[in-house]
Amino acid sequence: MFKFIFVLLVGVAIGYGYGWKDAQNNVKNVAERVVERIGGETRERMGNDVDTRYQAGDSR
């Protein structure tokens, strides 16, 4: 049980340090940057604005 708690505390300390350094270097947090990187190319195609799709002639 002690080993589990020790590993958990070490992981939290490392994660906190990484997050602190990341927050000092970047305005957006990690989750926002990952979502932008993954969904950046297909974001326009995934919209649900019916009027824009109808005007563009998209029948999906």
Side-chain angles (χ1 to χ4, degrees), residues 13-40:
I14 291 171
Y16 186 83
Y18 174 77
W20 180 265
K21 289 176 187 174
D22 184 66
Q24 299 300 315
N25 295 331
N26 300 299
V27 175
K28 294 183 178 180
N29 65 25
V30 175
E32 287 178 293
R33 292 194 318 264
V34 169
V35 168
E36 283 181 357
R37 189 179 330 161
I38 293 172

Side-chain angles (χ1 to χ4, degrees), residues 6-21:
F6 179 74
V7 170
L8 184 64
L9 289 175
V10 169
V12 168
I14 291 171
Y16 186 83
Y18 174 77
W20 180 265
K21 289 176 187 174

Side-chain angles (χ1 to χ4, degrees), residues 1 12 17 23 26-27 29 41 46 51-52 57 59-60:
M1 183 69 176
V12 168
N26 300 299
V27 175
N29 65 25
E41 297 174 3
M46 301 305 280
D51 294 331
T52 304
S59 61
R60 285 189 277 169

Side-chain angles (χ1 to χ4, degrees), residues 35-57:
V35 168
E36 283 181 357
R37 189 179 330 161
I38 293 172
E41 297 174 3
T42 61
R43 183 166 290 150
E44 291 81 26
R45 292 185 293 178
M46 301 305 280
N48 60 358
D49 186 3
V50 177
D51 294 331
T52 304
R53 292 176 85 173
Y54 178 73
Q55 291 172 354

